[in-house]
């Protein structure tokens, strides 16, 4: 029986420490009808040199955007099934690829993503997050658009219908997953298709990266921070800061400010904070 050609898209940027193990594990898979496309983002180390030793097709990209990198890799490929894996991810067994693409036999499933396991030197924070997100049970997602291209598989026909967003700086995979869910399709998490992923899914807990991601999620999914705390029965203090001395104060503006603050029924006390080179003083305004 004919088996479909699988195009494995590997994205890299200065991954010489990992690329050899990553590609070796891919080449040793039980599923043999495959090709490997390396999309390299201007690596300055030996990533490309090591990769070319293992029969890959090279695509170079100067300005990296995750969706753009995958799209360029797919355009350079020939397979009916597209697999995405990061260059620093290493399949844990020779059945990784076979397990990853098997759920695609169900036409309802648009995409499959696999388990991610930490290295022994992965930080405790990343180990915790990987353990929480990537469990042992297979699941089918009918409403949840979460998807992860560090270890994923989709059909070429579905990619042709919905290419990955080439402008998004992050979570191009989740945006694609949301679009598929909106079209009535499903996503599958397959824990038997596991890879080692040393830094986890939150990039070392980068606050800047988190801000970028949540902004995209809020804009694309309409998820906003709606939780509030009631101001009733709380001891709320309003502080008016001023850098100078009492003699420098504009009494007229100060009185207007205090008047507006007192209009709020929730503020219990008003404090004028004076800061000068001589001393710092806090005076309560009645």
């Amino acid at each position: 029986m004919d088996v479909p050609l699988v195009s494995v898209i590997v994205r890299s940027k200065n991954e010489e420490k990992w690329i050899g193990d990553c590609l070796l594990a891919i080449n040793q898979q039980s599923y043999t009808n495959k090709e490997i496309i390396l999309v390299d983002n201007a690596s300055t180390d030996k990533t490309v040199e090591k990769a070319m030793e293992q029969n890959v097709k090279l695509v170079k990209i100067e300005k990296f955007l995750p969706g753009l990198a995958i799209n360029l890799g797919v355009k350079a490929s020939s397979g009916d099934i597209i697999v995405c894996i990061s260059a620093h991810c290493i399949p844990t067994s020779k059945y990784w690829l076979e397990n990853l693409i098997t759920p695609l036999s169900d036409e309802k499933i648009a995409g499959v993503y696999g388990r991610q396991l930490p290295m022994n030197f992965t930080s405790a924070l990343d180990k915790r997050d990987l353990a929480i997100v990537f469990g042992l049970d297979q699941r089918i997602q009918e409403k949840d658009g979460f998807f992860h291209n560090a270890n994923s598989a989709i059909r070429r026909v579905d990619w042709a219908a919905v290419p990955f967003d080439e402008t998004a700086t992050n979570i191009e995979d989740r945006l694609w997953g949301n679009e598929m869910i909106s079209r009535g399709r499903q996503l599958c998490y397959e824990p038997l298709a596991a890879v080692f992923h040393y830094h986890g899914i939150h990039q070392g807990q980068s606050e800047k990266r988190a801000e970028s991601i949540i902004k995209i999620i809020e804009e694309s999914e309409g998820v906003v921070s709606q939780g509030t705390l009631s101001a009733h029965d709380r001891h709320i203090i309003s502080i008016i800061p001023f850098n100078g001395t009492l003699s420098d104060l504009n009494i007229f503006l100060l009185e207007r400010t205090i008047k507006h603050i007192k209009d709020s029924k929730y503020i219990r006390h008003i404090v004028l904070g004076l800061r000068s080179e001589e001393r710092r003083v806090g005076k309560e305004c009645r």
Side-chain angles (χ1 to χ4, degrees):
M1 184 178 71
D2 292 337
V3 294
L5 174 65
V6 174
S7 296
V8 182
I9 311 299
V10 182
R11 292 176 292 175
S12 66
K13 171 71 174 181
N14 292 335
E15 305 280 9
E16 67 173 317
K17 291 189 295 186
W18 314 99
I19 193 66
D21 290 329
C22 173
L23 295 179
L24 180 61
I26 295 172
N27 279 320
Q28 291 179 340
Q29 291 297 299
S30 60
Y31 194 97
T32 58
N33 192 24
K34 59 183 179 295
E35 63 175 355
I36 303 175
I37 314 296
L38 179 72
V39 182
D40 184 74
N41 176 211
S43 288
T44 56
D45 61 4
K46 295 183 179 180
T47 298
V48 174
E49 180 181 335
K50 289 186 174 182
M52 298 309 292
E53 297 173 357
Q54 299 201 45
N55 190 28
V56 302
K57 183 175 182 179
L58 176 63
V59 174
K60 295 184 178 181
I61 181 172
E62 293 299 323
K63 182 180 179 181
F64 180 81
L65 287 166
L68 174 62
I70 294 175
N71 289 344
L72 290 176
V74 175
K75 290 175 183 178
S77 70
S78 304
D80 293 324
I81 295 177
I82 307 300
V83 166
C84 297
I85 183 171
S86 295
H88 49 258
C89 289
I90 304 172
T92 63
S93 83
K94 67 177 182 179
Y95 301 109
W96 160 75
L97 185 55
E98 183 179 338
N99 290 330
L100 186 63
I101 67 174
T102 294
L104 291 177
S105 60
D106 184 344
E107 290 294 326
K108 292 181 181 179
I109 295 176
V112 185
Y113 65 100
R115 194 179 185 197
Q116 298 180 31
L117 297 170
M119 299 286 198
N120 61 359
F121 52 82
T122 298
S123 75
L125 291 172
D126 283 331
K127 285 182 178 179
R128 176 202 62 190
D129 293 342
L130 290 176
I132 291 172
V133 175
F134 299 103
L136 295 173
D137 291 324
Q138 185 193 71
R139 60 178 177 266
I140 303 299
Q141 298 168 203
E142 298 179 347
K143 298 179 181 180
D144 186 358
F146 178 80
F147 196 59
H148 209 284
N149 277 336
N151 178 22
S152 67
I154 65 175
R155 298 180 191 82
R156 177 178 287 273
V157 292
D158 289 323
W159 170 83
V162 183
F164 290 102
D165 190 314
E166 296 188 352
T167 63
T169 55
N170 305 98
I171 63 170
E172 84 297 334
D173 34 23
R174 181 168 181 149
L175 295 176
W176 187 89
N178 284 334
E179 178 61 28
M180 286 297 159
I181 292 292
S182 73
R183 296 180 178 215
R185 306 291 294 285
Q186 299 174 348
L187 302 172
C188 175
Y189 166 63
E190 178 50 76
L192 294 178
V195 299
F196 293 115
H197 192 184
Y198 83 93
H199 67 54
I201 62 174
H202 293 141
Q203 303 285 337
Q205 312 301 312
S206 167
E207 183 74 18
K208 184 176 181 180
R209 179 180 172 87
E211 289 174 356
S212 174
I213 290 173
I214 197 61
K215 181 179 180 181
I216 297 172
I217 290 176
E218 288 176 343
E219 291 175 351
S220 65
E221 300 180 18
V223 177
V224 295
S225 301
Q226 297 177 337
T228 60
L229 292 174
S230 172
H232 291 284
D233 300 321
R234 293 184 178 275
H235 192 88
I236 300 176
I237 299 175
S238 176
I239 299 175
I240 305 174
F242 184 78
N243 189 18
T245 64
L246 283 172
S247 61
D248 297 323
L249 278 171
N250 185 315
I251 300 301
F252 174 73
L253 291 178
L254 178 61
E255 289 177 343
R256 289 190 60 186
T257 300
I258 293 174
K259 180 181 181 300
H260 285 299
I261 293 175
K262 284 184 174 181
D263 288 339
S264 172
K265 61 183 178 180
Y266 298 117
I267 295 177
R268 300 282 187 88
H269 293 88
I270 303 172
V271 175
L272 174 62
L274 296 177
R275 183 183 186 280
S276 68
E277 294 182 358
E278 295 84 18
R279 59 178 183 169
R280 298 177 185 180
V281 180
K283 292 185 176 292
E284 184 172 348
C285 303
R286 298 293 183 179

